[in-house]
Amino acid sequence: MKRISIIFVFAMLLCTVFSQNKQLPLYKNATKPIEKRVNDLVLRMTLEEKVMQLNQYTLGRNDNKNNIEDVLKQKPAELGSVIYFNNDPKLRNEVQRQSIEKSRLGIPMIFGYDVIHGYRTVYPIPLAQACSWNPELAQKASAVAAQEARMSGVDWTFSPMIDVARDGRWGRVAEGYGEDSYTNAVFCVAAVKGYQGDNMADNKKIAACLKHYVGYGASEGGRDYVFTEVSPQTLWDTYMLPYQEGVKAGAATLMSSFNDISGIPGSANHYTMTEVLKKRWKHDGFVVSDWGSIVQLIAQGVAVDRKDAALKAFKAGVTMDMMNGCYDKYLVELVKKGEISKKELDDAVKRVLRVKFRLGLFENPYTPQTTEKERFLLPVSLKIAEQLAEESMVLLKNENNTLPLKAHSKIAVVGPLAKSKWHLLGSWAAHGNTDDVISIYDGLEAELGKDSQLLYAEGCGFDGNDTSKFAEALKTAATSDVVVVCLGEKKDWSGENASRSTLALPEIQEKLVVELKKAGKPIILLLSNGRPLELNRLEPLVDAMVEIWQPGIMTGKAVAGILSGRVNPSGKLAITFPYSTGQVPIYYNQRKSARPHQGKYQDIQNTPLYEFGYGLSYTTFEYGDIKANSQKVKKGDKLVVEIPVTNTGDRDGMETVHWFIADPVCSISRPVKELKYFEKKSLAKGEIRMFSFEIDINRDFSFVDESGNRFVEPGDFYVIVKDKKIKIELTD
Ligand code: GLC
């Protein structure tokens, strides 16, 4: 009897759900395939409703609940998206409720935000993350950012930024993963997976946005927003790979770039956004403009007015208008006049709706209200941020085993960054909070204060010429056993619109080190910056040097771990540090010179101060010879190369092996060498570990032509690790 009643109840439930679904318009029926829901919804939309879905305004930074009516009036219920600046879901839910309840079709809005290297748990800037050579860890950090963001009302981040950059004068070099295309591609995929997971409808995941599509890192002279000379060949062999891999990884969106790509701005570039992205790569998400990048087509001289800019951007492939005020004003008219077809418009709207359905916004348009304690700074999140900070720091110099610090020392901690917090967050720090940051001084005090004595002196500011605090700093240094001097950049000296004419630190900072040198004590230089630096005058003055980058809220803990020796540094540079700014651009995979031994600068050395991949450890590693399972292969053969690495020092450590290939002769001149794989492993003291690389000949020996076609030519190749190489003969 009981069984019958359970079956009866279950049957009734099924009927109810079925009948309810039956009454629902198809697009609201979550049991239907997303494509069917998208198509059903678009058919129901008016022209005006379609156009409003292609617009993004801003929302937030106004918590005054008395203004909510004004805020709601400014956001039409049919609006597609906003950039959400609050860090609490309350306001979001109010505005979303209007979209759901006050619009005819109840289409939810999507809320975007720049979550670049953390939301509230701010971890190292992307350039630093690349120096960890630990994409798995970077992925975990991105997952933390996604969780904090989604729980705070953000569904979509304008990240990862994957612009290959070789000119450190460009402030945005901080936001990407360095000078190498493959490195950017690997960390791009890690970030996309961290943000999106396997299912974006999970309320701890967010949609990713590959930016800035494309070639923005080639900004001439490192000046922001300007012309970029990117030949079709260079477009494909340097800039496109990270985007191609990010699209393959399922990135929901891309952002079109400001820069003029050899005459056609990224936001009006039909080739990149439609021919390649939509037709060849079959990307079915959408492209959002950069802020104002549509209206800026006028300034760039390719659009006569806003209507023309709207038309050119839309026809090229920009789906959503971020804060240009162009699509909302002109698209209806352009469609009515037939300059934009209904088919083109519907395709754009479907792309936006598809991402919204995939995010689950139709089923869950609102963000559950939680406390800050539930949302932010979870212990597991802090641990990930700390580990990523530790692994991204690069030991550049360590003479006479100055590091790790000796116990029972008097340690002078000096410089503008010794007690600073805000600047350690780096650019694009989202809702990073100064009070969350552990300063260098505080971190050292907590770690070493028990049996060492810390002394402090500011010494100088970040810039200017005030030397009034030098004397006190020198006195402090003279009474110490060792001096830790903390120099570097302010938070806003890198990031957007933050170009600098030189990579050198302000003279006052260099002068402070000269002054401290008079104390005759060992000097450890810590550098916090968002770009490669010019260090040729500082390097000889100091005994040890650590590039800590802008590590985020766990700075002090990570620095203390490394200086105390609790952590063995394992970072290696993902961007070349030139000997001087005059060498820029200088990067490891330069193309071949006609006269490699000539054509040098006459007035300075021609090698960088620290090359790509450089980084020391507290232990030492010895590399054996590369072995290959065969040195004569054909396409399709299995080729495995391996190299033994021995930890020859007296402590455990982690080592990253970078695998490069060189193709001395090719129908298109190739870079002197190209990174194709890397692997980071821990090695106990005395341990030997084999690092191996399974080469896919079509992937790793191939090159790409100016149309983006990959090709492999027979001939000699070299597989290179450090100064070791092995020749591989590829036959037809
Ligand atoms: C900015 C940046 C872009 C950012 C966007 C939204 O101008 O170029 O990276 O995502 O506007 O803040």
Side-chain angles (χ1 to χ4, degrees):
M1 190 56 193
K2 194 168 173 237
R3 183 197 294 267
I4 292 168
S5 56
I6 289 171
I7 291 169
F8 176 72
V9 165
F10 185 65
M12 288 308 290
L13 262 177
L14 263 183
C15 292
T16 318
V17 168
F18 182 71
S19 63
Q20 274 175 349
N21 280 342
K22 211 162 165 343
Q23 287 148 13
L24 281 176
L26 188 144
Y27 75 93
K28 288 193 175 181
N29 182 339
T31 66
K32 297 295 181 187
I34 284 181
E35 256 345 89
K36 286 191 180 300
R37 300 176 73 184
V38 165
N39 293 332
D40 174 63
L41 179 48
V42 161
L43 285 174
R44 298 168 187 265
M45 293 169 76
T46 65
L47 170 57
E48 289 71 15
E49 288 166 341
K50 291 176 182 175
V51 167
M52 280 318 288
Q53 281 299 310
L54 308 181
N55 286 275
Q56 179 180 67
Y57 298 166
T58 58
L59 171 68
R61 288 191 183 137
N62 169 6
D63 282 328
N64 178 343
K65 62 180 184 314
N66 305 308
N67 300 342
I68 186 65
E69 287 314 315
D70 298 345
V71 170
L72 292 175
K73 279 191 207 106
Q74 294 155 9
K75 313 288 176 247
E78 296 73 20
L79 181 62
S81 174
V82 290
I83 302 178
Y84 188 55
F85 289 100
N86 280 27
N87 68 358
D88 172 294
K90 195 168 176 311
L91 180 61
R92 169 234 166 84
N93 289 338
E94 301 244 15
V95 171
Q96 186 75 302
R97 193 168 309 286
Q98 177 181 254
S99 295
I100 300 298
E101 297 176 0
K102 298 279 189 303
S103 72
R104 194 173 64 84
L105 295 165
I107 301 173
M109 212 185 272
I110 180 171
F111 294 72
Y113 187 56
D114 289 289
V115 188
I116 309 299
H117 53 105
Y119 185 85
R120 171 73 185 271
T121 300
V122 175
Y123 45 88
I125 56 172
L127 183 57
Q129 292 175 46
C131 297
S132 74
W133 301 97
N134 191 339
E136 295 75 20
L137 185 56
Q139 180 174 329
K140 287 181 187 167
S142 301
V144 166
Q147 176 165 320
E148 291 189 346
R150 193 74 186 259
M151 290 176 77
S152 304
V154 169
D155 318 300
W156 170 32
T157 178
F158 307 129
S159 171
M161 191 272 213
I162 48 177
D163 297 317
V164 173
R166 286 132 175 206
D167 187 336
R169 293 173 294 176
W170 189 51
R172 307 202 75 167
V173 67
E175 302 173 47
Y177 300 96
E179 69 189 38
D180 175 64
S181 190
Y182 174 74
T183 311
N184 273 274
V186 170
F187 279 89
C188 166
V189 170
V192 169
K193 287 179 175 172
Y195 289 141
Q196 298 189 172
D198 299 328
N199 175 11
M200 285 195 297
D202 174 337
N203 63 5
K204 302 273 196 294
K205 294 299 174 188
I206 53 179
C209 180
L210 310 178
K211 74 182 187 182
H212 306 78
Y213 189 55
V214 61
Y216 189 17
S219 290
E220 194 164 66
R223 291 182 299 280
D224 213 348
Y225 311 118
V226 299
F227 176 72
T228 55
E229 178 45 64
V230 183
S231 69
Q233 179 61 38
T234 299
L235 177 71
W236 282 103
D237 67 29
T238 301
Y239 297 104
M240 290 293 253
L241 179 67
Y243 290 93
Q244 191 168 13
E245 293 305 308
V247 166
K248 267 190 221 162
T253 69
L254 288 83
M255 182 181 290
S256 65
S257 62
F258 295 126
N259 56 298
D260 166 348
I261 309 172
S262 296
I264 304 177
S267 296
N269 202 301
H270 188 270
Y271 174 72
T272 54
M273 288 190 285
T274 295
E275 285 176 49
V276 175
L277 178 63
K278 290 172 182 156
K279 292 184 176 168
R280 192 186 302 188
W281 292 349
K282 309 235 180 302
H283 185 247
D284 66 0
F286 67 89
V287 175
V288 63
S289 76
D290 201 336
W291 186 308
S293 68
I294 296 174
V295 73
Q296 287 164 195
L297 296 176
I298 302 168
Q300 287 171 304
V302 295
V304 69
D305 58 22
R306 284 172 171 270
K307 185 180 354 177
D308 188 32
L311 179 62
K312 286 193 164 67
F314 186 86
K315 297 291 263 188
V318 176
T319 318
M320 184 179 280
D321 169 345
M322 178 196 282
M323 288 302 290
N324 290 276
C326 291
Y327 283 15
D328 49 3
K329 287 189 183 44
Y330 299 108
L331 246 46
V332 169
E333 179 191 340
L334 289 167
V335 172
K336 286 182 174 170
K337 282 183 169 171
E339 296 193 61
I340 291 173
S341 71
K342 184 182 169 306
K343 186 167 179 286
E344 288 169 321
L345 181 70
D346 286 359
D347 174 66
V349 176
K350 286 180 180 179
R351 291 173 178 275
V352 173
L353 298 177
R354 196 172 290 133
V355 172
K356 291 185 175 183
F357 278 114
R358 287 175 179 162
L359 276 164
L361 292 176
F362 283 80
E363 281 66 54
N364 298 298
Y366 307 111
T367 306
Q369 194 61 45
T370 50
T371 64
E372 287 211 0
K373 197 168 173 350
E374 289 169 315
R375 289 203 297 279
F376 301 138
L377 308 170
L378 302 180
V380 64
S381 306
L382 299 180
K383 206 66 208 136
I384 289 167
E386 180 184 347
Q387 188 187 342
L388 190 49
E390 288 167 353
E391 293 201 30
S392 62
M393 294 179 182
V394 184
L395 179 60
L396 298 174
K397 180 177 184 180
N398 189 21
E399 304 274 294
N400 317 315
N401 289 318
T402 305
L403 285 173
L405 290 168
K406 309 303 174 269
H408 316 296
S409 310
K410 280 175 80 171
I411 304 165
V413 186
V414 179
L417 273 147
K419 289 198 170 183
S420 164
K421 292 189 171 193
W422 172 243
H423 297 296
L424 297 168
L425 289 171
S427 56
W428 297 103
H431 292 286
N433 187 322
T434 305
D435 296 340
D436 299 335
V437 179
I438 302 173
S439 72
I440 293 170
Y441 184 89
D442 290 347
L444 291 171
E445 176 64 43
E447 183 95 21
L448 304 169
K450 292 179 288 302
D451 63 9
S452 288
Q453 186 191 353
L454 263 65
L455 312 168
Y456 168 72
E458 186 186 4
C460 70
F462 282 89
D463 50 8
N465 49 26
D466 175 4
T467 59
S468 61
K469 295 177 184 167
F470 274 23
E472 180 218 6
L474 180 56
K475 189 157 158 276
T476 306
T479 60
S480 73
D481 300 317
V482 63
V483 183
V484 177
V485 55
C486 312
L487 305 180
E489 295 187 317
K490 288 186 175 179
K491 181 177 188 288
D492 63 2
W493 286 8
S494 58
E496 183 177 358
N497 193 18
S499 302
R500 293 176 73 82
S501 68
T502 175
L503 303 184
L505 291 175
E507 201 179 1
I508 189 77
Q509 295 192 37
E510 293 192 6
K511 280 182 178 172
L512 174 64
V513 178
V514 172
E515 188 69 13
L516 292 170
K517 192 75 186 152
K518 295 173 187 170
K521 303 294 168 80
I523 296 178
I524 297 157
L525 173 56
L526 301 185
L527 295 160
S528 175
N529 40 285
R531 56 166 44 86
L533 294 177
E534 174 180 305
L535 300 170
N536 66 66
R537 290 172 299 283
L538 282 168
E539 191 279 335
L541 299 176
V542 301
D543 304 86
M545 201 157 41
V546 185
E547 176 54 72
I548 70 168
W549 299 111
Q550 287 157 336
I553 62 173
M554 300 305 285
T555 298
K557 208 131 190 264
V559 166
I562 285 184
L563 295 197
S564 68
R566 170 169 55 81
V567 173
N568 187 356
S570 62
K572 292 178 181 282
L573 294 178
I575 193 163
T576 301
F577 274 43
Y579 176 80
S580 81
T581 308
Q583 286 183 333
V584 172
I586 182 170
Y587 46 97
Y588 89 88
N589 44 354
Q590 308 237 44
R591 275 202 153 50
K592 302 180 183 78
S593 160
R595 293 187 179 186
H597 302 299
Q598 287 183 298
K600 309 288 185 191
Y601 294 114
Q602 297 175 337
D603 55 339
I604 56 168
Q605 69 179 53
N606 281 265
T607 50
L609 189 62
Y610 299 115
E611 64 181 10
F612 177 86
Y614 175 85
L616 301 176
S617 167
Y618 290 151
T619 186
T620 49
F621 297 102
E622 208 166 278
Y623 284 59
D625 293 326
I626 303 174
K627 297 270 186 297
N629 63 326
S630 169
Q631 286 190 260
K632 195 163 183 168
V633 293
K634 296 188 302 308
K635 288 178 197 171
D637 283 356
K638 184 179 164 93
L639 173 58
V640 179
V641 286
E642 53 185 29
I643 188 166
V645 178
T646 308
N647 179 343
T648 48
D650 60 3
R651 59 172 293 167
D652 300 351
M654 288 193 280
E655 179 67 345
T656 299
V657 168
H658 292 95
W659 291 93
F660 300 90
I661 71 105
D663 180 3
V665 180
C666 178
S667 51
I668 298 174
S669 170
R670 293 181 69 163
V672 291
K673 65 180 183 178
E674 299 156 52
L675 183 66
K676 293 295 179 182
Y677 182 63
F678 60 83
E679 191 180 14
K680 184 172 194 174
K681 287 181 176 177
S682 56
L683 286 89
K685 61 185 178 190
E687 184 178 11
I688 302 176
R689 290 196 75 173
M690 195 60 79
F691 286 75
S692 63
F693 170 24
E694 186 167 332
I695 291 176
D696 172 335
I697 289 168
N698 286 325
R699 180 193 62 204
D700 301 317
F701 278 7
S702 65
F703 199 46
V704 65
D705 67 18
E706 64 176 19
S707 305
N709 302 313
R710 284 210 158 269
F711 62 92
V712 179
E713 292 174 345
D716 291 345
F717 288 82
Y718 290 89
V719 177
I720 302 165
V721 173
K722 283 186 178 287
D723 58 352
K724 310 278 187 179
K725 65 180 182 180
I726 186 170
K727 183 164 95 169
I728 305 289
E729 188 187 341
L730 176 65
T731 58
D732 247 340

